[in-house]
Amino acid sequence: MADDFLNKIADSADKAIHSNESSPYRLKKEGSKTAQIRTNTYKTVKLIAFEQDRKMIDVFDELIRIGLNDPKYEKYVK
């Protein structure tokens, strides 16, 4: 009886591990890379994301795009 229960749990765990729906990070809609930032900048972006109910990656992306619109970097932006 206990063996049946364990087999059932093992089967469902195996399905969850190999399922694309088990983690939103496995969907790979758009790739991302890690980057080092200063602690003060991180805290500021975290505060902005919290107050605006947004994801930190979206805030970082917006701020970087704003910075890349500067004429200093126009030759790098397509």
Coordinates of all heavy atoms in Angstrom, one line a residue:
M1 N 0.8 -1.2 0.0 CA 0.0 0.0 0.0 C 0.9 1.3 0.0 O 0.6 2.2 -0.8 CB -0.9 0.0 1.2 CG -1.9 1.1 1.2 SD -3.0 0.9 2.6 CE -4.4 1.9 2.1
A2 N 1.9 1.3 0.9 CA 2.8 2.4 0.9 C 3.6 2.5 -0.4 O 3.9 3.6 -0.9 CB 3.7 2.3 2.1
D3 N 3.9 1.4 -1.0 CA 4.6 1.3 -2.2 C 3.8 2.0 -3.3 O 4.3 2.7 -4.2 CB 5.0 -0.1 -2.6 CG 5.9 -0.1 -3.8 OD1 6.8 0.7 -3.9 OD2 5.7 -1.0 -4.6
D4 N 2.5 1.8 -3.4 CA 1.6 2.4 -4.4 C 1.6 3.9 -4.2 O 1.7 4.7 -5.2 CB 0.2 1.9 -4.3 CG 0.1 0.4 -4.6 OD1 1.0 -0.1 -5.4 OD2 -0.8 -0.2 -4.2
F5 N 1.5 4.4 -3.0 CA 1.5 5.8 -2.8 C 2.8 6.5 -3.2 O 2.8 7.5 -3.9 CB 1.3 6.1 -1.3 CG 1.4 7.5 -0.9 CD1 0.4 8.4 -1.2 CD2 2.5 8.0 -0.2 CE1 0.5 9.8 -0.9 CE2 2.6 9.3 0.1 CZ 1.6 10.2 -0.2
L6 N 4.0 5.8 -2.9 CA 5.3 6.4 -3.3 C 5.4 6.4 -4.8 O 6.0 7.3 -5.4 CB 6.4 5.6 -2.6 CG 6.5 5.7 -1.1 CD1 7.6 4.8 -0.6 CD2 6.8 7.2 -0.7
N7 N 4.9 5.3 -5.5 CA 5.0 5.3 -6.9 C 4.2 6.4 -7.6 O 4.6 7.0 -8.5 CB 4.5 3.9 -7.5 CG 5.6 2.8 -7.3 OD1 6.8 3.1 -7.1 ND2 5.1 1.6 -7.2
K8 N 3.0 6.7 -7.0 CA 2.2 7.7 -7.5 C 2.8 9.1 -7.3 O 2.8 9.9 -8.2 CB 0.8 7.7 -6.8 CG -0.2 8.7 -7.3 CD -1.5 8.6 -6.5 CE -2.5 9.6 -7.0 NZ -3.7 9.5 -6.2
I9 N 3.4 9.3 -6.2 CA 4.2 10.6 -5.9 C 5.3 10.7 -6.8 O 5.6 11.8 -7.4 CB 4.6 10.6 -4.4 CG1 3.4 10.7 -3.5 CG2 5.5 11.8 -4.2 CD1 2.6 11.9 -3.6
A10 N 6.1 9.6 -7.0 CA 7.3 9.7 -7.9 C 6.9 10.0 -9.4 O 7.5 10.7 -10.0 CB 8.0 8.3 -7.8
D11 N 5.8 9.4 -9.8 CA 5.3 9.7 -11.2 C 4.9 11.2 -11.4 O 5.3 11.8 -12.3 CB 4.1 8.8 -11.5 CG 4.5 7.3 -11.8 OD1 5.7 7.1 -12.0 OD2 3.6 6.5 -11.7
S12 N 4.2 11.7 -10.4 CA 3.8 13.1 -10.5 C 4.9 14.0 -10.4 O 5.0 15.1 -11.0 CB 2.7 13.4 -9.5 OG 3.2 13.4 -8.2
A13 N 5.9 13.7 -9.5 CA 7.1 14.5 -9.4 C 7.9 14.5 -10.7 O 8.4 15.5 -11.1 CB 8.0 14.0 -8.2
D14 N 8.0 13.3 -11.3 CA 8.8 13.2 -12.6 C 8.1 14.1 -13.7 O 8.8 14.7 -14.4 CB 8.8 11.8 -13.0 CG 9.7 11.5 -14.2 OD1 10.9 12.0 -14.1 OD2 9.3 10.9 -15.2
K15 N 6.8 14.0 -13.7 CA 6.0 14.9 -14.7 C 6.3 16.4 -14.4 O 6.4 17.1 -15.4 CB 4.5 14.6 -14.6 CG 4.2 13.2 -15.2 CD 2.7 12.9 -15.1 CE 2.3 11.6 -15.5 NZ 0.9 11.2 -15.3
A16 N 6.3 16.8 -13.2 CA 6.5 18.2 -12.9 C 7.9 18.6 -13.2 O 8.1 19.7 -13.7 CB 6.2 18.4 -11.4
I17 N 8.9 17.8 -13.0 CA 10.3 18.1 -13.3 C 10.5 18.3 -14.8 O 11.2 19.2 -15.2 CB 11.2 17.0 -12.7 CG1 11.3 17.1 -11.2 CG2 12.6 17.2 -13.3 CD1 12.0 16.0 -10.6
H18 N 9.8 17.5 -15.6 CA 10.0 17.5 -17.0 C 9.0 18.3 -17.8 O 9.0 18.4 -19.0 CB 10.1 16.1 -17.6 CG 11.3 15.3 -17.1 ND1 11.2 14.4 -16.0 CD2 12.5 15.3 -17.5 CE1 12.4 13.9 -15.8 NE2 13.2 14.4 -16.7
S19 N 8.1 19.0 -17.1 CA 7.1 19.8 -17.7 C 7.6 21.2 -17.9 O 8.3 21.8 -17.1 CB 5.9 19.8 -16.8 OG 5.0 20.8 -17.3
N20 N 7.2 21.8 -19.1 CA 7.5 23.2 -19.4 C 6.7 24.1 -18.5 O 7.1 25.3 -18.4 CB 7.3 23.5 -20.9 CG 8.4 22.9 -21.7 OD1 9.5 22.6 -21.2 ND2 8.2 22.8 -23.0
E21 N 5.6 23.7 -18.0 CA 4.7 24.5 -17.3 C 5.1 24.6 -15.8 O 4.5 25.4 -15.1 CB 3.3 24.0 -17.4 CG 2.7 24.0 -18.8 CD 1.4 23.4 -19.0 OE1 0.8 23.1 -17.9 OE2 0.9 23.2 -20.1
S22 N 6.0 23.8 -15.4 CA 6.4 23.8 -14.0 C 7.2 25.1 -13.6 O 7.2 25.4 -12.4 CB 7.2 22.6 -13.6 OG 8.4 22.6 -14.3
S23 N 7.8 25.7 -14.5 CA 8.6 26.9 -14.2 C 8.5 27.9 -15.3 O 8.7 27.6 -16.5 CB 10.1 26.6 -13.9 OG 10.8 27.7 -13.8
P24 N 8.1 29.2 -15.0 CA 8.1 30.2 -16.1 C 9.4 30.5 -16.7 O 9.5 31.0 -17.8 CB 7.5 31.4 -15.4 CG 7.8 31.2 -13.9 CD 7.8 29.7 -13.7
Y25 N 10.5 30.2 -16.0 CA 11.8 30.4 -16.5 C 12.3 29.4 -17.6 O 13.2 29.7 -18.3 CB 12.9 30.4 -15.4 CG 12.5 31.5 -14.4 CD1 12.0 31.1 -13.1 CD2 12.7 32.8 -14.6 CE1 11.7 32.1 -12.2 CE2 12.4 33.8 -13.7 CZ 11.9 33.4 -12.5 OH 11.5 34.4 -11.6
R26 N 11.6 28.3 -17.7 CA 11.9 27.3 -18.7 C 11.3 27.6 -20.0 O 11.6 27.0 -21.0 CB 11.4 25.9 -18.2 CG 12.3 25.4 -17.1 CD 11.9 24.0 -16.8 NE 12.6 23.5 -15.6 CZ 12.5 22.3 -15.2 NH1 11.7 21.4 -15.8 NH2 13.2 22.0 -14.1
L27 N 10.4 28.6 -20.1 CA 9.7 28.9 -21.4 C 10.6 29.5 -22.4 O 10.4 29.4 -23.6 CB 8.5 29.8 -21.1 CG 7.4 29.1 -20.2 CD1 6.3 30.1 -20.0 CD2 6.8 27.9 -20.9
K28 N 11.6 30.2 -21.9 CA 12.6 30.9 -22.8 C 12.0 31.8 -23.8 O 12.3 31.7 -25.0 CB 13.5 29.8 -23.4 CG 14.3 29.0 -22.5 CD 15.4 29.8 -21.9 CE 16.2 28.9 -21.0 NZ 17.2 29.6 -20.2
K29 N 11.0 32.6 -23.4 CA 10.4 33.5 -24.4 C 11.5 34.5 -24.8 O 11.5 34.8 -26.0 CB 9.2 34.3 -23.7 CG 8.1 33.4 -23.5 CD 6.9 34.1 -22.9 CE 5.7 33.2 -22.7 NZ 4.6 33.9 -22.0
E30 N 12.2 35.1 -23.9 CA 13.3 36.0 -24.3 C 14.4 35.8 -23.3 O 14.2 35.7 -22.1 CB 12.8 37.4 -24.1 CG 13.8 38.5 -24.6 CD 13.2 39.9 -24.6 OE1 12.0 40.1 -24.2 OE2 13.9 40.8 -25.0
G31 N 15.6 35.7 -23.8 CA 16.8 35.3 -23.0 C 17.2 36.5 -22.2 O 16.8 37.7 -22.4
S32 N 18.0 36.2 -21.1 CA 18.5 37.3 -20.3 C 19.9 36.8 -19.8 O 20.2 35.7 -19.9 CB 17.6 37.6 -19.1 OG 17.5 36.4 -18.3
K33 N 20.7 37.8 -19.4 CA 22.0 37.5 -18.9 C 22.2 38.2 -17.5 O 21.5 39.1 -17.2 CB 23.1 38.1 -19.8 CG 23.1 37.6 -21.2 CD 23.7 36.2 -21.3 CE 23.8 35.7 -22.7 NZ 24.3 34.4 -22.8
T34 N 23.1 37.6 -16.7 CA 23.4 38.3 -15.4 C 24.3 39.4 -15.6 O 25.1 39.4 -16.6 CB 24.0 37.2 -14.5 OG1 25.1 36.7 -15.0 CG2 23.0 36.1 -14.1
A35 N 24.3 40.4 -14.8 CA 25.2 41.5 -14.8 C 25.4 42.0 -13.4 O 24.6 41.9 -12.5 CB 24.5 42.7 -15.7
Q36 N 26.6 42.6 -13.2 CA 26.9 43.2 -11.9 C 26.5 44.6 -11.9 O 26.8 45.4 -12.8 CB 28.4 43.0 -11.6 CG 28.8 41.6 -11.4 CD 30.3 41.5 -11.1 OE1 31.0 42.5 -11.3 NE2 30.7 40.4 -10.5
I37 N 25.8 45.0 -10.8 CA 25.4 46.4 -10.7 C 25.8 46.8 -9.2 O 25.9 46.0 -8.4 CB 23.9 46.7 -10.9 CG1 23.1 45.8 -10.0 CG2 23.6 46.4 -12.4 CD1 21.7 46.2 -10.0
R38 N 25.9 48.1 -9.0 CA 26.2 48.6 -7.7 C 25.0 48.4 -6.8 O 23.8 48.5 -7.2 CB 26.6 50.1 -7.8 CG 27.9 50.3 -8.4 CD 28.3 51.7 -8.5 NE 29.7 51.9 -8.9 CZ 30.1 51.9 -10.2 NH1 29.2 51.7 -11.1 NH2 31.4 52.0 -10.5
T39 N 25.3 48.2 -5.5 CA 24.2 47.9 -4.5 C 23.2 49.0 -4.4 O 22.0 48.8 -4.3 CB 24.9 47.6 -3.1 OG1 25.8 46.6 -3.3 CG2 23.8 47.3 -2.1
N40 N 23.7 50.3 -4.5 CA 22.8 51.4 -4.4 C 21.8 51.4 -5.6 O 20.6 51.7 -5.4 CB 23.5 52.7 -4.3 CG 24.2 52.9 -3.0 OD1 23.8 52.3 -2.0 ND2 25.2 53.8 -2.9
T41 N 22.3 51.1 -6.8 CA 21.5 51.1 -7.9 C 20.4 50.0 -7.8 O 19.3 50.1 -8.1 CB 22.3 50.9 -9.2 OG1 23.3 51.9 -9.3 CG2 21.5 50.9 -10.5
Y42 N 20.9 48.8 -7.3 CA 20.0 47.7 -7.1 C 18.8 48.0 -6.2 O 17.7 47.8 -6.5 CB 20.8 46.5 -6.6 CG 19.9 45.3 -6.3 CD1 19.6 44.4 -7.3 CD2 19.4 45.1 -5.0 CE1 18.8 43.3 -7.0 CE2 18.6 44.0 -4.7 CZ 18.3 43.1 -5.7 OH 17.5 42.0 -5.5
K43 N 19.2 48.7 -5.1 CA 18.2 49.1 -4.1 C 17.2 50.1 -4.7 O 16.0 50.0 -4.4 CB 18.9 49.6 -2.8 CG 19.6 48.6 -2.0 CD 20.2 49.2 -0.8 CE 21.0 48.1 0.0 NZ 21.6 48.7 1.2
T44 N 17.7 51.0 -5.5 CA 16.8 52.0 -6.1 C 15.8 51.3 -7.0 O 14.6 51.6 -7.0 CB 17.6 53.1 -6.8 OG1 18.5 53.7 -5.9 CG2 16.7 54.1 -7.4
V45 N 16.4 50.5 -7.9 CA 15.5 49.8 -8.9 C 14.5 48.9 -8.1 O 13.4 48.8 -8.5 CB 16.4 49.0 -9.9 CG1 15.5 48.1 -10.8 CG2 17.2 50.0 -10.7
K46 N 14.9 48.2 -7.1 CA 14.0 47.4 -6.3 C 12.9 48.2 -5.7 O 11.7 47.8 -5.8 CB 14.8 46.7 -5.2 CG 14.0 45.7 -4.4 CD 14.9 44.9 -3.4 CE 14.1 43.9 -2.7 NZ 14.9 43.1 -1.8
L47 N 13.2 49.4 -5.2 CA 12.2 50.3 -4.7 C 11.2 50.7 -5.8 O 10.0 50.7 -5.6 CB 12.8 51.5 -4.0 CG 11.8 52.5 -3.5 CD1 11.0 52.0 -2.3 CD2 12.6 53.8 -3.0
I48 N 11.7 51.1 -6.9 CA 10.9 51.5 -8.1 C 10.0 50.3 -8.5 O 8.8 50.5 -8.7 CB 11.7 52.0 -9.3 CG1 12.5 53.2 -8.9 CG2 10.9 52.1 -10.5 CD1 13.6 53.6 -10.0
A49 N 10.5 49.2 -8.6 CA 9.7 48.0 -9.0 C 8.6 47.7 -8.0 O 7.5 47.4 -8.4 CB 10.6 46.8 -9.2
F50 N 9.0 47.8 -6.8 CA 8.0 47.5 -5.7 C 6.8 48.6 -5.8 O 5.7 48.2 -5.7 CB 8.6 47.5 -4.3 CG 7.7 47.4 -3.2 CD1 7.1 46.2 -2.9 CD2 7.3 48.5 -2.4 CE1 6.2 46.0 -1.9 CE2 6.4 48.4 -1.4 CZ 5.8 47.1 -1.1
E51 N 7.2 49.8 -5.8 CA 6.2 50.9 -5.8 C 5.3 50.9 -7.0 O 4.1 51.3 -7.0 CB 6.8 52.2 -5.6 CG 7.4 52.5 -4.2 CD 8.0 53.8 -4.0 OE1 8.1 54.6 -5.0 OE2 8.3 54.1 -2.9
Q52 N 5.9 50.5 -8.2 CA 5.1 50.4 -9.4 C 4.5 49.1 -9.7 O 3.9 48.9 -10.8 CB 6.0 50.9 -10.6 CG 6.4 52.3 -10.5 CD 7.2 52.8 -11.6 OE1 7.5 52.0 -12.6 NE2 7.6 54.1 -11.6
D53 N 4.7 48.1 -8.8 CA 4.2 46.7 -9.0 C 4.7 46.2 -10.3 O 3.9 45.7 -11.1 CB 2.7 46.7 -8.9 CG 2.2 45.2 -8.7 OD1 3.0 44.4 -8.1 OD2 1.1 45.0 -9.1
R54 N 6.0 46.2 -10.6 CA 6.6 45.7 -11.8 C 7.8 44.8 -11.4 O 8.2 44.8 -10.3 CB 7.2 46.9 -12.6 CG 6.1 47.9 -13.1 CD 6.7 49.1 -13.7 NE 7.5 48.7 -14.9 CZ 8.4 49.6 -15.5 NH1 8.5 50.8 -15.0 NH2 9.1 49.2 -16.5
K55 N 8.2 44.1 -12.4 CA 9.4 43.2 -12.2 C 10.6 44.0 -12.4 O 10.7 45.0 -13.2 CB 9.4 42.1 -13.3 CG 8.2 41.1 -13.2 CD 8.3 40.1 -14.2 CE 7.2 39.1 -14.1 NZ 7.2 38.0 -15.1
M56 N 11.6 43.7 -11.6 CA 12.9 44.4 -11.6 C 13.5 44.4 -13.0 O 14.1 45.4 -13.5 CB 13.9 43.9 -10.6 CG 13.5 44.3 -9.2 SD 14.6 43.7 -7.9 CE 16.1 44.6 -8.3
I57 N 13.5 43.2 -13.7 CA 14.1 43.1 -15.0 C 13.5 44.1 -16.0 O 14.1 44.7 -16.8 CB 14.0 41.7 -15.5 CG1 15.0 41.5 -16.7 CG2 12.6 41.3 -15.8 CD1 15.2 40.1 -17.1
D58 N 12.2 44.4 -15.8 CA 11.5 45.3 -16.7 C 11.9 46.8 -16.4 O 12.1 47.6 -17.3 CB 10.0 45.2 -16.6 CG 9.4 43.9 -17.1 OD1 10.1 43.3 -18.0 OD2 8.4 43.4 -16.6
V59 N 12.1 47.1 -15.1 CA 12.6 48.4 -14.8 C 14.0 48.6 -15.3 O 14.4 49.6 -15.9 CB 12.5 48.6 -13.2 CG1 13.1 50.0 -12.9 CG2 11.1 48.5 -12.8
F60 N 14.9 47.6 -15.1 CA 16.3 47.7 -15.6 C 16.3 47.9 -17.1 O 17.0 48.7 -17.6 CB 17.1 46.4 -15.2 CG 17.7 46.5 -13.9 CD1 17.3 45.5 -12.9 CD2 18.6 47.4 -13.5 CE1 17.9 45.5 -11.6 CE2 19.2 47.4 -12.2 CZ 18.8 46.5 -11.3
D61 N 15.5 47.1 -17.8 CA 15.4 47.2 -19.2 C 15.0 48.6 -19.7 O 15.6 49.1 -20.6 CB 14.4 46.1 -19.8 CG 14.5 46.0 -21.3 OD1 15.6 45.8 -21.8 OD2 13.4 46.2 -21.9
E62 N 14.0 49.1 -19.1 CA 13.5 50.5 -19.4 C 14.6 51.5 -19.2 O 14.9 52.4 -20.0 CB 12.3 50.8 -18.6 CG 11.7 52.2 -19.0 CD 10.4 52.5 -18.2 OE1 9.9 51.7 -17.5 OE2 10.0 53.7 -18.4
L63 N 15.3 51.4 -18.0 CA 16.3 52.4 -17.7 C 17.5 52.3 -18.6 O 18.1 53.3 -19.1 CB 16.8 52.2 -16.3 CG 15.7 52.6 -15.2 CD1 16.2 52.2 -13.8 CD2 15.4 54.1 -15.2
I64 N 17.9 51.1 -19.0 CA 19.0 50.9 -19.9 C 18.6 51.4 -21.3 O 19.4 52.1 -22.0 CB 19.4 49.4 -20.0 CG1 20.0 49.0 -18.7 CG2 20.3 49.1 -21.2 CD1 20.3 47.5 -18.5
R65 N 17.4 51.2 -21.8 CA 17.0 51.7 -23.1 C 16.9 53.2 -23.1 O 17.3 53.9 -24.1 CB 15.6 51.1 -23.4 CG 15.7 49.7 -23.8 CD 14.3 49.1 -24.2 NE 14.4 47.7 -24.4 CZ 14.8 47.1 -25.5 NH1 15.2 47.8 -26.5 NH2 14.8 45.8 -25.5
I66 N 16.5 53.8 -22.0 CA 16.5 55.3 -21.9 C 18.0 55.8 -22.0 O 18.3 56.8 -22.7 CB 15.9 55.8 -20.5 CG1 14.4 55.5 -20.6 CG2 16.2 57.2 -20.3 CD1 13.7 55.7 -19.2
G67 N 18.9 55.1 -21.3 CA 20.3 55.5 -21.3 C 20.9 55.3 -22.7 O 21.7 56.1 -23.2
L68 N 20.5 54.3 -23.4 CA 21.0 54.0 -24.8 C 20.5 55.0 -25.8 O 21.1 55.1 -26.9 CB 20.7 52.6 -25.2 CG 21.5 51.5 -24.5 CD1 21.0 50.1 -24.9 CD2 23.0 51.6 -24.8
N69 N 19.4 55.7 -25.5 CA 18.9 56.7 -26.4 C 19.8 58.0 -26.4 O 19.5 58.9 -27.2 CB 17.5 57.1 -26.1 CG 16.5 56.0 -26.6 OD1 16.8 55.3 -27.6 ND2 15.4 55.8 -26.0
D70 N 20.7 58.1 -25.4 CA 21.6 59.2 -25.4 C 22.4 59.3 -26.6 O 22.9 58.3 -27.2 CB 22.5 59.1 -24.1 CG 23.3 60.3 -23.8 OD1 24.4 60.5 -24.5 OD2 23.0 61.1 -22.9
P71 N 22.6 60.5 -27.2 CA 23.4 60.7 -28.4 C 24.8 60.1 -28.3 O 25.4 59.7 -29.3 CB 23.5 62.2 -28.6 CG 22.3 62.8 -27.8 CD 22.1 61.8 -26.7
K72 N 25.3 60.0 -27.1 CA 26.7 59.4 -26.9 C 26.8 57.9 -27.4 O 27.8 57.5 -27.8 CB 27.0 59.5 -25.4 CG 28.4 59.0 -25.0 CD 28.6 59.5 -23.6 CE 29.0 58.5 -22.7 NZ 29.2 58.9 -21.3
Y73 N 25.6 57.2 -27.4 CA 25.6 55.8 -27.8 C 24.8 55.5 -29.0 O 24.6 54.4 -29.4 CB 25.0 55.0 -26.6 CG 25.7 55.1 -25.3 CD1 25.2 55.8 -24.3 CD2 27.0 54.6 -25.2 CE1 25.8 56.0 -23.1 CE2 27.7 54.7 -24.0 CZ 27.1 55.4 -22.9 OH 27.8 55.6 -21.8
E74 N 24.5 56.5 -29.8 CA 23.6 56.4 -30.9 C 24.2 55.5 -32.0 O 23.5 54.8 -32.7 CB 23.2 57.7 -31.6 CG 24.3 58.5 -32.2 CD 23.8 59.8 -32.7 OE1 22.7 60.2 -32.4 OE2 24.6 60.5 -33.4
K75 N 25.5 55.4 -32.1 CA 26.2 54.6 -33.1 C 26.0 53.1 -32.8 O 26.2 52.2 -33.7 CB 27.6 54.9 -33.4 CG 28.5 54.6 -32.2 CD 30.0 55.0 -32.6 CE 31.0 54.5 -31.5 NZ 32.3 54.9 -31.9
Y76 N 25.7 52.7 -31.6 CA 25.6 51.3 -31.1 C 24.2 50.8 -31.2 O 23.9 49.6 -31.2 CB 26.1 51.2 -29.7 CG 27.5 51.6 -29.5 CD1 27.9 52.7 -28.9 CD2 28.6 50.8 -30.0 CE1 29.2 53.1 -28.7 CE2 29.9 51.1 -29.9 CZ 30.2 52.3 -29.2 OH 31.5 52.7 -29.1
V77 N 23.2 51.7 -31.3 CA 21.8 51.3 -31.3 C 21.3 51.2 -32.7 O 21.5 52.2 -33.5 CB 20.9 52.3 -30.4 CG1 19.5 51.9 -30.4 CG2 21.5 52.4 -29.0
K78 N 20.6 50.1 -33.0 CA 20.1 49.9 -34.4 C 18.7 50.4 -34.5 O 17.9 50.5 -33.6 CB 20.2 48.5 -34.7 CG 21.6 48.0 -34.8 CD 21.6 46.5 -35.1 CE 23.1 46.0 -35.0 NZ 23.2 44.6 -35.3

